[in-house]
Amino acid sequence: MEKIKKLWKFFTSPEMLSYLFFGVCTTVINIVVFWLMADILHCAWEPSNLLAWILSVAFAFITNKLFVFKSRKATPKKLLWEIATFVGARLLSLGVDMGTMWLLLEVLHTSNLSAKIISNILVIIINYVLSKLVIFKKK
């Protein structure tokens, strides 16, 4: 029972609720941009996914820095570290995203939307862990 209470406290903490809210917003941006490019403009899934990634990463950096992890110290060195590690971590999750999309679209022949949603679930988990433990960690 104690473990359940700890999990509940973790998932209902202000930081986690904020991360989930902005994560949903970031995911919506990612999926909508991908959908517009791939399904409406009929672009290949690869450039559609890349543009969706670029726009959602820019949004995620700003919201994670200011609202989720409240990292407001703006020395040039600190800001450069945060940007570099954030983009570096997101490049790792982009690899997971592209690999998952390839597997689901090219090998398993799922729909664009299904593939994007499944891929985003994996990416959200990876991104939270890296943001919490590496990028915006409290010293």
Side-chain angles (χ1 to χ4, degrees), residues 22 29 49 51 56 79 82 108 116 130 132:
F22 288 111
I29 290 168
N49 202 44
L51 181 61
S56 60
L79 182 61
E82 288 176 345
L108 300 176
K116 195 64 184 152
L130 291 174
K132 176 75 174 170

Side-chain angles (χ1 to χ4, degrees), residues 28-79:
V28 167
I29 290 168
N30 190 282
I31 290 171
V32 168
V33 170
F34 177 79
W35 172 75
L36 286 171
M37 295 289 296
D39 291 345
I40 301 301
L41 299 176
H42 304 291
C43 296
W45 71 264
E46 296 92 338
S48 300
N49 202 44
L50 188 59
L51 181 61
W53 178 82
I54 290 168
L55 295 177
S56 60
V57 165
F59 176 81
F61 176 77
I62 293 166
T63 57
N64 275 263
K65 177 173 178 47
L66 298 178
F67 304 115
V68 177
F69 299 107
K70 295 179 174 64
S71 175
R72 294 201 168 99
K73 296 196 172 150
T75 65
K77 184 178 178 181
K78 171 89 168 152
L79 182 61

